[in-house]
Amino acid sequence: MSILVIAEHDGKLLKPGTTNTVTAAVKIGGDITVLVAGHQCADAAQVAAKIAGVGKVLLADSPLYAGGAAENLTALLQTIAGQYTHILASATGYGKNFMPRLSALLDVQQISDISAVVSADTFVRPIYAGNAMATVQSADKIKVITVRATGFDAAAEGGSATVENLAAGPDTGLATFNGQELSKSDRPELTAARIIVSGGRGMGSGENFKLLEALADKLGAAVGASRAAVDSGYVPNDYQVGQTGKIVAPELYIAVGISGAIQHLAGMKDSKVIIAINKDPEAPIFAVADYWLVEDLFKAVPELTQQI
Amino acid sequence: MKVLVTVKRVIDPYVKVRVKSDGTGVETANVKMAMNPFCEIAVEQAVRMKEAGIVSEIVAVSIGTLQSQETLRTAMAMGADRGILVEVAGEVQPLAVAKLVKAIVDKEQPKLVIMGKQAIDDDSNQAGQMTAALLGWPQAAFTSAITVNGDTADVTREIDGGLEKLTIKLPAVVTTDLRLNEPRYVTLPNIMKAKKKPLEVLKPEALGVDVVPRLKTIKVEEPAKRSAGVKVADVQELVAKLKNEARVI
């Protein structure tokens, strides 16, 4: 078998999730090639070459792939897809955007968000916000798969793959990339953090998130949020943890003022230890918490920050 | 311009699903159903564009059993002008959905297709991007803002690190994210009006599309359960548990 993993990167480094996707490829078994496509991303290709288990890195460095727009990227992938039995990418905003487009161009049914590999053609994936786990088998000639990072360990370093240049594919001219507005933070990324402090509607305002930021900074944690907090405009969209936001599984997840809607639990219930602070003794979040405290968050959070 | 929106009938997102004891799927008998929330946002967007004078006609499309006519009626009560149901009894996977939508687009010739980014039942997040691929159109997935300027549209997409801005050529496929708009509630007079709007029912064969599922579901199981937690009395006890028992700080 021959597996292509499409790396997610910022030009210099790989994004969290790519190394977990390599681990999923190792479980499928076969020769593993990593594609680094982007603009001015040779450094990221060197990082990918050092992942244990990777045999070859393809570098497609062209302005056509700046920003990772799906149209040109899938046009490139279509030209090389036939060489592989499996094509994998992380089930992040990046992978979810272009992988279905590739899948349709190849006339295969994508397998989304796998959390386990049963065999080379059979995979486990969550459905209904993780309230059911489906085992599915694909008979398609190429398996196009997105991988849930929390289901697989990150692959170690220690590889020494060769890096080959891949000529740019056609310019479809369908979409023009006009830039990104990225949230700036010195805290770890949500999907890579060891500890996450998340706030919900109970925070009451964006200003009050400063309480959580103080706690997060003391713990070296990332700050996340429930959909309710994002929809209310307290924090930007990239904070959202849940079924249709980010899926996280840190060592410690601290849920503050979060009631625990089904779609939020879907994004965090695989965390190792969950603590919940909510003044409502009936909050559904307590059903998944290892430790819960029924108290006003405006009293409990500053105390917690002080005592930790 | 004409807009096509897609709507899917799913288990109500606030219902806790139960896995069937025979492991073939989840229980759907006597379970409350609703329009997929992301599809509601798609319909709302089309209706707002019509109210703003950008859109002249909204065609709502659903794929599923005859009961999906109810979902189309809801879309029409929100403001869609007419409905098309592609009647399929069993499971329709995203690739087949995309092929059916493409076939309808070929007939209807809309300038914009608005779809939900994800259905909250199978959580695939594929059909919109696939439809764009099959049509050879640009795509704007996970959109939180859209402005149409003649033959192009400026879109803002929600990405993992924040927001991304694209200009796409029309015709195009847009998939909705949560922050695009807040869908309206349907009113009784509009529900009554929707009953009189045209609703066409087609079969996949009439569109020349094979809807046989490509992925075989071997089994569906309950996820692993978390062990029961404990209530702590105060912050001091919580900190002690985290340090001495869980050892995570």
Side-chain angles (χ1 to χ4, degrees), chain A residues 71 101 107 109 112 128 133 135 137 176 178 181 240 243-244 246 269 271 290-292, chain B residues 95 99 117 121-124 126 137 139 160 163 167 179 216 218-219 221 226 230 232 245:
Chain A
E71 293 81 357
R101 189 174 180 104
D107 193 32
Q109 175 56 58
S112 289
Y128 290 94
M133 305 300 289
T135 303
Q137 186 175 34
T176 313
N178 299 333
E181 288 170 14
Q240 189 186 327
Q243 180 183 13
T244 70
K246 293 196 172 79
K269 68 186 170 67
S271 304
D290 296 285
Y291 306 105
W292 73 87
Chain B
L95 183 62
K99 288 178 180 179
K117 79 163 179 179
D121 49 5
D122 63 18
D123 282 334
S124 288
Q126 298 176 11
W137 290 4
Q139 67 182 55
D160 284 343
L163 299 170
T167 301
R179 264 63 65 173
K216 184 175 154 198
I218 311 278
K219 61 179 173 186
E221 299 166 292
R226 290 188 73 90
V230 294
V232 293
E245 199 174 270

mmCIF file of all heavy atoms in Angstrom, chain A residues 71 101 107 109 112 128 133 135 137 176 178 181 240 243-244 246 269 271 290-292, chain B residues 95 99 117 121-124 126 137 139 160 163 167 179 216 218-219 221 226 230 232 245:
data_model
loop_
_atom_site.group_PDB
_atom_site.id
_atom_site.type_symbol
_atom_site.label_atom_id
_atom_site.label_comp_id
_atom_site.label_asym_id
_atom_site.label_seq_id
_atom_site.Cartn_x
_atom_site.Cartn_y
_atom_site.Cartn_z
ATOM 1 N N GLU A 71 -9.479 24.896 -4.473
ATOM 2 C CA GLU A 71 -9.626 24.666 -5.908
ATOM 3 C C GLU A 71 -8.299 24.275 -6.557
ATOM 4 O O GLU A 71 -8.212 23.264 -7.258
ATOM 5 C CB GLU A 71 -10.208 25.915 -6.586
ATOM 6 C CG GLU A 71 -11.648 26.229 -6.173
ATOM 7 C CD GLU A 71 -11.765 26.968 -4.848
ATOM 8 O OE1 GLU A 71 -10.724 27.199 -4.181
ATOM 9 O OE2 GLU A 71 -12.899 27.308 -4.463
ATOM 10 N N ARG A 101 -13.623 17.813 -1.708
ATOM 11 C CA ARG A 101 -13.530 18.240 -3.105
ATOM 12 C C ARG A 101 -12.660 17.252 -3.885
ATOM 13 O O ARG A 101 -13.015 16.822 -4.988
ATOM 14 C CB ARG A 101 -12.943 19.660 -3.178
ATOM 15 C CG ARG A 101 -13.024 20.255 -4.571
ATOM 16 C CD ARG A 101 -12.569 21.718 -4.602
ATOM 17 N NE ARG A 101 -12.676 22.222 -5.955
ATOM 18 C CZ ARG A 101 -13.631 23.029 -6.403
ATOM 19 N NH1 ARG A 101 -14.558 23.471 -5.584
ATOM 20 N NH2 ARG A 101 -13.667 23.410 -7.662
ATOM 21 N N ASP A 107 -14.183 10.540 -7.653
ATOM 22 C CA ASP A 107 -15.390 9.703 -7.576
ATOM 23 C C ASP A 107 -15.269 8.628 -6.491
ATOM 24 O O ASP A 107 -15.556 7.456 -6.708
ATOM 25 C CB ASP A 107 -15.716 9.055 -8.936
ATOM 26 C CG ASP A 107 -17.124 8.447 -8.932
ATOM 27 O OD1 ASP A 107 -17.999 9.001 -8.240
ATOM 28 O OD2 ASP A 107 -17.325 7.404 -9.599
ATOM 29 N N GLN A 109 -16.067 7.939 -2.113
ATOM 30 C CA GLN A 109 -16.780 8.432 -0.938
ATOM 31 C C GLN A 109 -15.795 8.599 0.210
ATOM 32 O O GLN A 109 -15.264 7.619 0.720
ATOM 33 C CB GLN A 109 -17.913 7.464 -0.555
ATOM 34 C CG GLN A 109 -18.638 7.828 0.735
ATOM 35 C CD GLN A 109 -19.196 9.237 0.710
ATOM 36 O OE1 GLN A 109 -19.987 9.597 -0.150
ATOM 37 N NE2 GLN A 109 -18.750 10.073 1.646
ATOM 38 N N SER A 112 -14.906 10.445 6.788
ATOM 39 C CA SER A 112 -14.596 11.644 7.585
ATOM 40 C C SER A 112 -14.231 11.294 9.008
ATOM 41 O O SER A 112 -14.889 10.464 9.637
ATOM 42 C CB SER A 112 -15.810 12.576 7.636
ATOM 43 O OG SER A 112 -16.044 13.182 6.400
ATOM 44 N N TYR A 128 -23.345 11.496 15.078
ATOM 45 C CA TYR A 128 -24.245 12.096 16.068
ATOM 46 C C TYR A 128 -23.454 12.710 17.221
ATOM 47 O O TYR A 128 -23.651 12.354 18.392
ATOM 48 C CB TYR A 128 -25.257 11.072 16.590
ATOM 49 C CG TYR A 128 -26.286 10.678 15.553
ATOM 50 C CD1 TYR A 128 -26.099 9.552 14.759
ATOM 51 C CD2 TYR A 128 -27.430 11.437 15.348
ATOM 52 C CE1 TYR A 128 -27.027 9.193 13.788
ATOM 53 C CE2 TYR A 128 -28.367 11.095 14.387
ATOM 54 C CZ TYR A 128 -28.159 9.968 13.610
ATOM 55 O OH TYR A 128 -29.083 9.626 12.667
ATOM 56 N N MET A 133 -20.622 5.418 17.629
ATOM 57 C CA MET A 133 -19.389 5.175 16.881
ATOM 58 C C MET A 133 -19.716 4.183 15.767
ATOM 59 O O MET A 133 -20.187 3.074 16.041
ATOM 60 C CB MET A 133 -18.303 4.580 17.790
ATOM 61 C CG MET A 133 -18.000 5.416 19.038
ATOM 62 S SD MET A 133 -17.411 7.087 18.691
ATOM 63 C CE MET A 133 -15.780 6.759 18.067
ATOM 64 N N THR A 135 -18.531 1.783 12.590
ATOM 65 C CA THR A 135 -17.430 1.104 11.923
ATOM 66 C C THR A 135 -17.828 0.962 10.464
ATOM 67 O O THR A 135 -18.864 0.367 10.158
ATOM 68 C CB THR A 135 -17.170 -0.276 12.547
ATOM 69 O OG1 THR A 135 -16.906 -0.086 13.937
ATOM 70 C CG2 THR A 135 -15.980 -0.971 11.895
ATOM 71 N N GLN A 137 -16.737 0.342 6.188
ATOM 72 C CA GLN A 137 -15.799 -0.315 5.279
ATOM 73 C C GLN A 137 -15.946 0.321 3.904
ATOM 74 O O GLN A 137 -17.053 0.524 3.418
ATOM 75 C CB GLN A 137 -16.121 -1.800 5.210
ATOM 76 C CG GLN A 137 -15.111 -2.595 4.398
ATOM 77 C CD GLN A 137 -15.408 -4.085 4.471
ATOM 78 O OE1 GLN A 137 -16.564 -4.491 4.538
ATOM 79 N NE2 GLN A 137 -14.367 -4.889 4.465
ATOM 80 N N THR A 176 -9.752 33.812 -5.430
ATOM 81 C CA THR A 176 -8.606 34.661 -5.129
ATOM 82 C C THR A 176 -8.482 34.774 -3.621
ATOM 83 O O THR A 176 -9.465 35.095 -2.940
ATOM 84 C CB THR A 176 -8.813 36.073 -5.710
ATOM 85 O OG1 THR A 176 -9.267 35.935 -7.053
ATOM 86 C CG2 THR A 176 -7.530 36.876 -5.687
ATOM 87 N N ASN A 178 -7.510 36.554 -0.373
ATOM 88 C CA ASN A 178 -7.329 37.962 0.018
ATOM 89 C C ASN A 178 -6.759 38.127 1.414
ATOM 90 O O ASN A 178 -6.832 39.208 1.983
ATOM 91 C CB ASN A 178 -8.667 38.707 -0.041
ATOM 92 C CG ASN A 178 -9.259 38.719 -1.439
ATOM 93 O OD1 ASN A 178 -8.536 38.635 -2.421
ATOM 94 N ND2 ASN A 178 -10.570 38.806 -1.542
ATOM 95 N N GLU A 181 -7.205 36.804 8.798
ATOM 96 C CA GLU A 181 -7.138 37.553 10.058
ATOM 97 C C GLU A 181 -6.991 36.505 11.138
ATOM 98 O O GLU A 181 -7.951 35.835 11.507
ATOM 99 C CB GLU A 181 -8.440 38.318 10.294
ATOM 100 C CG GLU A 181 -8.636 39.499 9.381
ATOM 101 C CD GLU A 181 -10.046 40.073 9.488
ATOM 102 O OE1 GLU A 181 -10.781 39.738 10.432
ATOM 103 O OE2 GLU A 181 -10.409 40.846 8.596
ATOM 104 N N GLN A 240 -13.910 28.131 19.543
ATOM 105 C CA GLN A 240 -15.021 27.203 19.780
ATOM 106 C C GLN A 240 -14.602 25.737 19.841
ATOM 107 O O GLN A 240 -14.017 25.201 18.911
ATOM 108 C CB GLN A 240 -16.087 27.365 18.701
ATOM 109 C CG GLN A 240 -17.364 26.583 19.028
ATOM 110 C CD GLN A 240 -18.365 26.606 17.904
ATOM 111 O OE1 GLN A 240 -18.470 27.587 17.180
ATOM 112 N NE2 GLN A 240 -19.093 25.523 17.751
ATOM 113 N N GLN A 243 -18.794 19.950 18.487
ATOM 114 C CA GLN A 243 -19.091 19.076 17.353
ATOM 115 C C GLN A 243 -18.655 19.689 16.031
ATOM 116 O O GLN A 243 -18.107 19.008 15.176
ATOM 117 C CB GLN A 243 -20.599 18.807 17.328
ATOM 118 C CG GLN A 243 -21.083 17.905 16.206
ATOM 119 C CD GLN A 243 -22.601 17.764 16.236
ATOM 120 O OE1 GLN A 243 -23.288 18.516 16.937
ATOM 121 N NE2 GLN A 243 -23.119 16.797 15.500
ATOM 122 N N THR A 244 -18.910 20.979 15.865
ATOM 123 C CA THR A 244 -18.571 21.612 14.595
ATOM 124 C C THR A 244 -17.454 22.631 14.763
ATOM 125 O O THR A 244 -17.135 23.363 13.849
ATOM 126 C CB THR A 244 -19.805 22.298 13.971
ATOM 127 O OG1 THR A 244 -20.125 23.443 14.756
ATOM 128 C CG2 THR A 244 -20.980 21.364 13.916
ATOM 129 N N LYS A 246 -13.625 22.919 17.297
ATOM 130 C CA LYS A 246 -12.413 22.112 17.469
ATOM 131 C C LYS A 246 -12.690 20.924 18.383
ATOM 132 O O LYS A 246 -13.450 21.019 19.335
ATOM 133 C CB LYS A 246 -11.304 22.976 18.057
ATOM 134 C CG LYS A 246 -10.830 24.055 17.083
ATOM 135 C CD LYS A 246 -9.494 24.632 17.512
ATOM 136 C CE LYS A 246 -8.936 25.561 16.458
ATOM 137 N NZ LYS A 246 -9.556 26.899 16.493
ATOM 138 N N LYS A 269 -15.207 15.572 25.363
ATOM 139 C CA LYS A 269 -15.430 14.500 26.335
ATOM 140 C C LYS A 269 -14.360 13.410 26.330
ATOM 141 O O LYS A 269 -14.375 12.532 27.184
ATOM 142 C CB LYS A 269 -16.825 13.912 26.207
ATOM 143 C CG LYS A 269 -17.110 13.128 24.953
ATOM 144 C CD LYS A 269 -18.593 12.753 24.932
ATOM 145 C CE LYS A 269 -19.016 12.186 23.608
ATOM 146 N NZ LYS A 269 -18.418 10.889 23.308
ATOM 147 N N SER A 271 -11.273 14.263 26.842
ATOM 148 C CA SER A 271 -10.198 14.818 27.675
ATOM 149 C C SER A 271 -9.899 13.841 28.820
ATOM 150 O O SER A 271 -10.790 13.141 29.291
ATOM 151 C CB SER A 271 -10.618 16.167 28.259
ATOM 152 O OG SER A 271 -10.991 17.049 27.226
ATOM 153 N N ASP A 290 -14.998 14.764 35.964
ATOM 154 C CA ASP A 290 -14.383 13.942 36.993
ATOM 155 C C ASP A 290 -14.549 14.606 38.357
ATOM 156 O O ASP A 290 -14.715 13.939 39.365
ATOM 157 C CB ASP A 290 -12.899 13.741 36.675
ATOM 158 C CG ASP A 290 -12.704 12.980 35.385
ATOM 159 O OD1 ASP A 290 -12.919 11.760 35.391
ATOM 160 O OD2 ASP A 290 -12.416 13.615 34.356
ATOM 161 N N TYR A 291 -14.453 15.937 38.354
ATOM 162 C CA TYR A 291 -14.655 16.715 39.578
ATOM 163 C C TYR A 291 -15.538 17.892 39.229
ATOM 164 O O TYR A 291 -15.306 18.551 38.220
ATOM 165 C CB TYR A 291 -13.320 17.246 40.119
ATOM 166 C CG TYR A 291 -12.293 16.163 40.324
ATOM 167 C CD1 TYR A 291 -11.229 16.013 39.440
ATOM 168 C CD2 TYR A 291 -12.408 15.272 41.397
ATOM 169 C CE1 TYR A 291 -10.301 15.008 39.620
ATOM 170 C CE2 TYR A 291 -11.479 14.259 41.574
ATOM 171 C CZ TYR A 291 -10.434 14.125 40.687
ATOM 172 O OH TYR A 291 -9.523 13.129 40.852
ATOM 173 N N TRP A 292 -16.552 18.128 40.052
ATOM 174 C CA TRP A 292 -17.347 19.309 39.766
ATOM 175 C C TRP A 292 -17.625 20.112 41.022
ATOM 176 O O TRP A 292 -17.697 19.583 42.114
ATOM 177 C CB TRP A 292 -18.612 18.974 38.995
ATOM 178 C CG TRP A 292 -19.721 18.296 39.724
ATOM 179 C CD1 TRP A 292 -20.725 18.888 40.442
ATOM 180 C CD2 TRP A 292 -19.974 16.897 39.782
ATOM 181 N NE1 TRP A 292 -21.578 17.946 40.934
ATOM 182 C CE2 TRP A 292 -21.156 16.717 40.559
ATOM 183 C CE3 TRP A 292 -19.343 15.773 39.271
ATOM 184 C CZ2 TRP A 292 -21.693 15.457 40.820
ATOM 185 C CZ3 TRP A 292 -19.884 14.524 39.528
ATOM 186 C CH2 TRP A 292 -21.032 14.373 40.284
ATOM 187 N N LEU B 95 -21.433 11.716 -1.384
ATOM 188 C CA LEU B 95 -21.093 11.747 -2.813
ATOM 189 C C LEU B 95 -22.360 11.662 -3.667
ATOM 190 O O LEU B 95 -22.490 12.371 -4.674
ATOM 191 C CB LEU B 95 -20.124 10.603 -3.151
ATOM 192 C CG LEU B 95 -19.624 10.561 -4.590
ATOM 193 C CD1 LEU B 95 -18.827 11.814 -4.941
ATOM 194 C CD2 LEU B 95 -18.752 9.311 -4.824
ATOM 195 N N LYS B 99 -24.017 14.419 -6.250
ATOM 196 C CA LYS B 99 -24.394 14.096 -7.638
ATOM 197 C C LYS B 99 -25.846 14.501 -7.916
ATOM 198 O O LYS B 99 -26.173 14.999 -9.003
ATOM 199 C CB LYS B 99 -24.188 12.604 -7.905
ATOM 200 C CG LYS B 99 -22.707 12.224 -7.988
ATOM 201 C CD LYS B 99 -22.511 10.732 -8.215
ATOM 202 C CE LYS B 99 -21.017 10.409 -8.294
ATOM 203 N NZ LYS B 99 -20.781 8.967 -8.500
ATOM 204 N N LYS B 117 -22.846 23.492 6.305
ATOM 205 C CA LYS B 117 -21.486 22.948 6.240
ATOM 206 C C LYS B 117 -21.446 21.494 6.666
ATOM 207 O O LYS B 117 -20.539 20.754 6.301
ATOM 208 C CB LYS B 117 -20.513 23.773 7.086
ATOM 209 C CG LYS B 117 -20.547 23.513 8.580
ATOM 210 C CD LYS B 117 -19.281 24.057 9.262
ATOM 211 C CE LYS B 117 -19.326 23.819 10.768
ATOM 212 N NZ LYS B 117 -18.130 24.299 11.461
ATOM 213 N N ASP B 121 -26.259 14.689 11.865
ATOM 214 C CA ASP B 121 -26.474 13.253 12.089
ATOM 215 C C ASP B 121 -25.215 12.450 11.734
ATOM 216 O O ASP B 121 -24.583 11.853 12.596
ATOM 217 C CB ASP B 121 -27.713 12.735 11.355
ATOM 218 C CG ASP B 121 -27.789 13.131 9.891
ATOM 219 O OD1 ASP B 121 -26.831 13.749 9.375
ATOM 220 O OD2 ASP B 121 -28.803 12.813 9.242
ATOM 221 N N ASP B 122 -24.803 12.482 10.446
ATOM 222 C CA ASP B 122 -23.605 11.696 10.100
ATOM 223 C C ASP B 122 -22.307 12.503 10.245
ATOM 224 O O ASP B 122 -21.220 11.939 10.124
ATOM 225 C CB ASP B 122 -23.722 11.084 8.696
ATOM 226 C CG ASP B 122 -23.803 12.131 7.594
ATOM 227 O OD1 ASP B 122 -23.444 13.299 7.839
ATOM 228 O OD2 ASP B 122 -24.216 11.776 6.480
ATOM 229 N N ASP B 123 -22.423 13.816 10.517
ATOM 230 C CA ASP B 123 -21.238 14.651 10.776
ATOM 231 C C ASP B 123 -20.162 14.511 9.695
ATOM 232 O O ASP B 123 -18.961 14.553 9.990
ATOM 233 C CB ASP B 123 -20.618 14.318 12.147
ATOM 234 C CG ASP B 123 -21.402 14.946 13.303
ATOM 235 O OD1 ASP B 123 -22.065 15.973 13.079
ATOM 236 O OD2 ASP B 123 -21.336 14.406 14.423
ATOM 237 N N SER B 124 -20.567 14.350 8.431
ATOM 238 C CA SER B 124 -19.571 14.114 7.382
ATOM 239 C C SER B 124 -18.846 15.382 6.943
ATOM 240 O O SER B 124 -17.658 15.362 6.697
ATOM 241 C CB SER B 124 -20.226 13.479 6.158
ATOM 242 O OG SER B 124 -20.572 12.147 6.429
ATOM 243 N N GLN B 126 -19.136 17.118 3.987
ATOM 244 C CA GLN B 126 -18.587 16.829 2.659
ATOM 245 C C GLN B 126 -19.427 17.374 1.504
ATOM 246 O O GLN B 126 -18.874 17.763 0.469
ATOM 247 C CB GLN B 126 -18.498 15.301 2.440
ATOM 248 C CG GLN B 126 -17.584 14.575 3.385
ATOM 249 C CD GLN B 126 -17.620 13.068 3.158
ATOM 250 O OE1 GLN B 126 -18.170 12.587 2.177
ATOM 251 N NE2 GLN B 126 -17.045 12.331 4.073
ATOM 252 N N TRP B 137 -17.093 24.362 -9.925
ATOM 253 C CA TRP B 137 -17.295 25.721 -9.410
ATOM 254 C C TRP B 137 -16.362 25.973 -8.227
ATOM 255 O O TRP B 137 -15.949 25.023 -7.552
ATOM 256 C CB TRP B 137 -18.730 25.894 -8.914
ATOM 257 C CG TRP B 137 -19.784 25.916 -9.975
ATOM 258 C CD1 TRP B 137 -19.614 25.727 -11.317
ATOM 259 C CD2 TRP B 137 -21.189 26.113 -9.771
ATOM 260 N NE1 TRP B 137 -20.832 25.804 -11.952
ATOM 261 C CE2 TRP B 137 -21.812 26.050 -11.037
ATOM 262 C CE3 TRP B 137 -21.973 26.343 -8.654
ATOM 263 C CZ2 TRP B 137 -23.186 26.208 -11.199
ATOM 264 C CZ3 TRP B 137 -23.343 26.500 -8.805
ATOM 265 C CH2 TRP B 137 -23.950 26.433 -10.072
ATOM 266 N N GLN B 139 -15.611 27.079 -4.323
ATOM 267 C CA GLN B 139 -16.331 26.782 -3.099
ATOM 268 C C GLN B 139 -15.901 27.750 -2.006
ATOM 269 O O GLN B 139 -14.760 28.185 -1.971
ATOM 270 C CB GLN B 139 -16.040 25.353 -2.633
ATOM 271 C CG GLN B 139 -14.585 25.136 -2.190
ATOM 272 C CD GLN B 139 -14.313 23.701 -1.784
ATOM 273 O OE1 GLN B 139 -14.559 22.764 -2.549
ATOM 274 N NE2 GLN B 139 -13.811 23.529 -0.564
ATOM 275 N N ASP B 160 -9.310 27.554 11.324
ATOM 276 C CA ASP B 160 -8.903 27.179 12.682
ATOM 277 C C ASP B 160 -8.211 28.305 13.435
ATOM 278 O O ASP B 160 -8.323 28.397 14.642
ATOM 279 C CB ASP B 160 -7.997 25.942 12.643
ATOM 280 C CG ASP B 160 -8.804 24.687 12.390
ATOM 281 O OD1 ASP B 160 -10.032 24.741 12.563
ATOM 282 O OD2 ASP B 160 -8.212 23.656 12.024
ATOM 283 N N LEU B 163 -10.039 33.959 10.725
ATOM 284 C CA LEU B 163 -10.900 34.161 9.556
ATOM 285 C C LEU B 163 -10.058 34.240 8.291
ATOM 286 O O LEU B 163 -8.890 34.633 8.331
ATOM 287 C CB LEU B 163 -11.691 35.465 9.713
ATOM 288 C CG LEU B 163 -12.638 35.541 10.911
ATOM 289 C CD1 LEU B 163 -13.173 36.955 11.085
ATOM 290 C CD2 LEU B 163 -13.789 34.551 10.764
ATOM 291 N N THR B 167 -12.172 35.975 -2.653
ATOM 292 C CA THR B 167 -13.111 36.424 -3.674
ATOM 293 C C THR B 167 -13.327 35.234 -4.607
ATOM 294 O O THR B 167 -12.355 34.675 -5.119
ATOM 295 C CB THR B 167 -12.549 37.615 -4.466
ATOM 296 O OG1 THR B 167 -12.287 38.671 -3.543
ATOM 297 C CG2 THR B 167 -13.538 38.098 -5.520
ATOM 298 N N ARG B 179 -21.950 31.549 12.424
ATOM 299 C CA ARG B 179 -22.019 32.996 12.619
ATOM 300 C C ARG B 179 -22.537 33.751 11.388
ATOM 301 O O ARG B 179 -22.538 34.980 11.359
ATOM 302 C CB ARG B 179 -20.647 33.529 13.019
ATOM 303 C CG ARG B 179 -20.447 33.682 14.508
ATOM 304 C CD ARG B 179 -20.507 32.418 15.310
ATOM 305 N NE ARG B 179 -19.434 31.483 14.999
ATOM 306 C CZ ARG B 179 -19.197 30.361 15.659
ATOM 307 N NH1 ARG B 179 -19.967 29.997 16.665
ATOM 308 N NH2 ARG B 179 -18.216 29.558 15.309
ATOM 309 N N LYS B 216 -19.853 0.799 3.552
ATOM 310 C CA LYS B 216 -20.719 -0.173 4.196
ATOM 311 C C LYS B 216 -20.589 0.016 5.705
ATOM 312 O O LYS B 216 -19.465 0.022 6.227
ATOM 313 C CB LYS B 216 -20.260 -1.571 3.777
ATOM 314 C CG LYS B 216 -21.105 -2.684 4.278
ATOM 315 C CD LYS B 216 -20.598 -3.995 3.666
ATOM 316 C CE LYS B 216 -20.949 -5.152 4.556
ATOM 317 N NZ LYS B 216 -20.147 -6.339 4.251
ATOM 318 N N ILE B 218 -20.564 -1.469 9.102
ATOM 319 C CA ILE B 218 -20.415 -2.804 9.690
ATOM 320 C C ILE B 218 -21.188 -2.868 10.999
ATOM 321 O O ILE B 218 -21.900 -3.815 11.274
ATOM 322 C CB ILE B 218 -18.927 -3.120 9.969
ATOM 323 C CG1 ILE B 218 -18.065 -2.819 8.745
ATOM 324 C CG2 ILE B 218 -18.746 -4.540 10.493
ATOM 325 C CD1 ILE B 218 -18.020 -3.864 7.693
ATOM 326 N N LYS B 219 -21.005 -1.843 11.836
ATOM 327 C CA LYS B 219 -21.756 -1.794 13.094
ATOM 328 C C LYS B 219 -21.748 -0.385 13.656
ATOM 329 O O LYS B 219 -20.907 0.446 13.289
ATOM 330 C CB LYS B 219 -21.175 -2.773 14.132
ATOM 331 C CG LYS B 219 -19.743 -2.456 14.501
ATOM 332 C CD LYS B 219 -19.203 -3.429 15.537
ATOM 333 C CE LYS B 219 -17.708 -3.177 15.754
ATOM 334 N NZ LYS B 219 -17.051 -4.109 16.596
ATOM 335 N N GLU B 221 -21.995 1.460 17.503
ATOM 336 C CA GLU B 221 -21.922 1.148 18.937
ATOM 337 C C GLU B 221 -22.012 2.415 19.767
ATOM 338 O O GLU B 221 -21.767 3.518 19.285
ATOM 339 C CB GLU B 221 -20.567 0.505 19.268
ATOM 340 C CG GLU B 221 -20.274 -0.786 18.566
ATOM 341 C CD GLU B 221 -18.806 -1.146 18.691
ATOM 342 O OE1 GLU B 221 -17.957 -0.430 18.105
ATOM 343 O OE2 GLU B 221 -18.508 -2.116 19.390
ATOM 344 N N ARG B 226 -17.547 7.522 30.276
ATOM 345 C CA ARG B 226 -16.631 8.043 31.286
ATOM 346 C C ARG B 226 -17.060 7.511 32.643
ATOM 347 O O ARG B 226 -18.260 7.351 32.898
ATOM 348 C CB ARG B 226 -16.676 9.570 31.317
ATOM 349 C CG ARG B 226 -16.068 10.224 30.104
ATOM 350 C CD ARG B 226 -15.981 11.724 30.305
ATOM 351 N NE ARG B 226 -14.939 12.095 31.256
ATOM 352 C CZ ARG B 226 -13.681 12.358 30.907
ATOM 353 N NH1 ARG B 226 -13.309 12.289 29.657
ATOM 354 N NH2 ARG B 226 -12.790 12.688 31.822
ATOM 355 N N VAL B 230 -16.828 12.995 40.900
ATOM 356 C CA VAL B 230 -17.224 13.359 42.261
ATOM 357 C C VAL B 230 -17.438 14.859 42.377
ATOM 358 O O VAL B 230 -16.769 15.653 41.710
ATOM 359 C CB VAL B 230 -16.172 12.921 43.314
ATOM 360 C CG1 VAL B 230 -16.086 11.408 43.397
ATOM 361 C CG2 VAL B 230 -14.816 13.524 43.020
ATOM 362 N N VAL B 232 -17.015 18.238 44.445
ATOM 363 C CA VAL B 232 -16.132 18.760 45.491
ATOM 364 C C VAL B 232 -16.832 19.938 46.181
ATOM 365 O O VAL B 232 -17.666 20.617 45.583
ATOM 366 C CB VAL B 232 -14.757 19.204 44.933
ATOM 367 C CG1 VAL B 232 -13.970 18.003 44.427
ATOM 368 C CG2 VAL B 232 -14.898 20.238 43.829
ATOM 369 N N GLU B 245 -4.768 13.469 43.443
ATOM 370 C CA GLU B 245 -5.493 12.310 42.919
ATOM 371 C C GLU B 245 -5.326 12.232 41.398
ATOM 372 O O GLU B 245 -4.803 11.255 40.867
ATOM 373 C CB GLU B 245 -6.971 12.452 43.283
ATOM 374 C CG GLU B 245 -7.746 11.161 43.210
ATOM 375 C CD GLU B 245 -9.168 11.373 43.721
ATOM 376 O OE1 GLU B 245 -9.400 11.210 44.934
ATOM 377 O OE2 GLU B 245 -10.050 11.722 42.896
#
